[in-house]
Amino acid sequence: MNAHTLHATSIVDRIVNGWLGAPSVKVVQRTTDLPANGVPEDVRGMYRSGETWIDAETQSASTVPDTLAHEALGHHSMRELLGANWRPFMSAVIDGAARGDWRLQCFRDEIQSTYTDDKGCCNLSRVGVADEITAAIVESRFDGNAGRMKIARPGIKLLEAAKGHLAREALYLNRPASFEELEGTILAAEHRLRFGGAFWGVGFRLKRWYASAMAKPWNPNKAPMSLAESERLLKAEKYRRDSWEEWKGMAHLVLIFILVGFILFGVGSFLIDLFTGFRH
């Protein structure tokens, strides 16, 4: 590994060490070391199968943070944040560009021109274009020195992201995404990347604490569990499962009674209003 690759690796390590939810990041010395065949000679990075790859050969040290953000945040963390909703959201981004959001249109036109072959055909799918739009915005807004996104009015952008998510995922509205909503979603993805999850990574921290607290040194000289101990553990587990099933059955009955009460109360009120002529 030459000096330039070592320098690029140190830059990557400095930024990734501040990310609790960072993917696996590998810095390679040559383009031929990337996990794909036939990649362009000027490729700077790659995201594949949950791993981020940085090519030190094709870029200077100053662009390494941008490439890292492009791959780790723009591609990996957005997928982690949105899960099954990632593809529909990417379609909404393209819809936003098609319906006149000029900032999305500018990024879309740049991406399509970059990925157009000699025959004038874009080599990216509709979702692929939106994916690269997102990564390009990340790259343009990332501060490599601070290792953070620099987006103006972050609170408003996060609110736009929440509104868009509610409209599409809860109300099932076919709503295009705006540039502000995309920036807010990127901020949410960065939050997940930095803290390992939502709400400052509370769940991630609890799981890590639980794993470390419950980890006990293995004693190879400890006697194996006796048959009586095994039977006692099995009985305790069976009792726990049976108790849980009983509680679930009782909960279902309570919910049914509540539902029936609401129905009867509603029908009764309607009949009283109908025959008495009273209206609220």
Side-chain angles (χ1 to χ4, degrees):
M1 188 176 290
N2 57 31
H4 178 63
T5 306
L6 289 173
H7 186 202
T9 302
S10 67
I11 294 173
V12 168
D13 290 342
R14 172 181 62 82
I15 297 174
V16 170
N17 287 338
W19 292 344
L20 292 179
S24 171
V25 181
K26 299 179 181 179
V27 181
V28 298
Q29 183 172 329
R30 293 176 294 273
T31 305
T32 54
D33 296 329
L34 293 172
N37 298 322
V39 296
E41 296 180 355
D42 59 345
V43 66
R44 294 188 299 159
M46 178 179 292
Y47 175 73
R48 187 168 185 174
S49 302
E51 293 183 328
T52 295
W53 300 76
I54 307 297
D55 188 353
E57 181 183 39
T58 57
Q59 60 190 309
S60 64
S62 62
T63 62
V64 169
D66 298 336
T67 304
L68 175 62
H70 179 112
E71 307 296 342
L73 175 52
H75 292 317
H76 171 77
S77 192
M78 285 290 287
R79 286 168 168 81
E80 289 291 307
L81 173 71
L82 297 171
N85 296 321
W86 175 80
R87 188 171 294 274
F89 180 71
M90 291 294 108
S91 294
V93 170
I94 291 296
D95 290 341
R99 297 192 183 187
D101 190 311
W102 65 271
R103 288 164 296 184
L104 290 178
Q105 287 177 345
C106 290
F107 279 97
R108 180 200 60 188
D109 295 344
E110 181 180 353
I111 295 300
Q112 288 179 336
S113 64
T114 302
Y115 286 89
T116 297
D117 57 21
D118 297 335
K119 298 179 181 180
C121 298
C122 181
N123 296 318
L124 292 178
S125 65
R126 172 185 171 91
V127 170
V129 171
D131 190 19
E132 291 301 328
I133 289 173
T134 304
I137 293 174
V138 168
E139 190 172 339
S140 68
R141 301 290 193 274
F142 189 73
D143 184 346
N145 293 324
R148 296 280 304 276
M149 292 293 297
K150 294 296 183 181
I151 293 180
R153 300 183 299 168
I156 294 176
K157 306 297 176 60
L158 286 169
L159 180 60
E160 288 295 322
K163 286 165 55 180
H165 177 78
L166 177 64
R168 279 186 294 272
E169 310 306 328
L171 303 179
Y172 301 102
L173 299 177
N174 186 18
R175 169 177 167 171
S178 65
F179 187 82
E180 287 79 7
E181 181 185 347
L182 179 54
E183 282 191 318
T185 306
I186 290 171
L187 285 172
E190 183 200 19
H191 184 91
R192 185 183 185 88
L193 185 67
R194 290 179 57 213
F195 296 103
F199 301 106
W200 294 273
V202 172
F204 174 84
R205 296 171 191 271
L206 286 175
K207 286 192 290 185
R208 188 173 62 178
W209 169 82
Y210 181 78
S212 62
M214 295 301 293
K216 297 179 180 179
W218 177 63
N219 182 9
N221 299 318
K222 183 179 179 180
M225 184 180 297
S226 66
L227 180 60
E229 289 176 324
S230 299
E231 290 178 348
R232 186 165 60 251
L233 288 176
L234 290 173
K235 288 180 179 179
E237 177 63 17
K238 184 177 184 302
Y239 175 77
R240 186 189 68 81
R241 288 177 176 271
D242 292 343
S243 299
W244 172 242
E245 292 298 328
E246 291 179 3
W247 277 106
K248 284 201 301 184
M250 293 177 61
H252 290 160
L253 288 175
V254 171
L255 289 175
I256 290 172
F257 281 129
I258 293 174
L259 180 60
V260 170
F262 274 120
I263 293 174
L264 292 178
F265 178 77
V267 172
S269 298
F270 173 76
L271 292 176
I272 291 173
D273 291 347
L274 182 63
F275 287 106
T276 62
F278 178 76
R279 292 293 184 268
H280 296 287

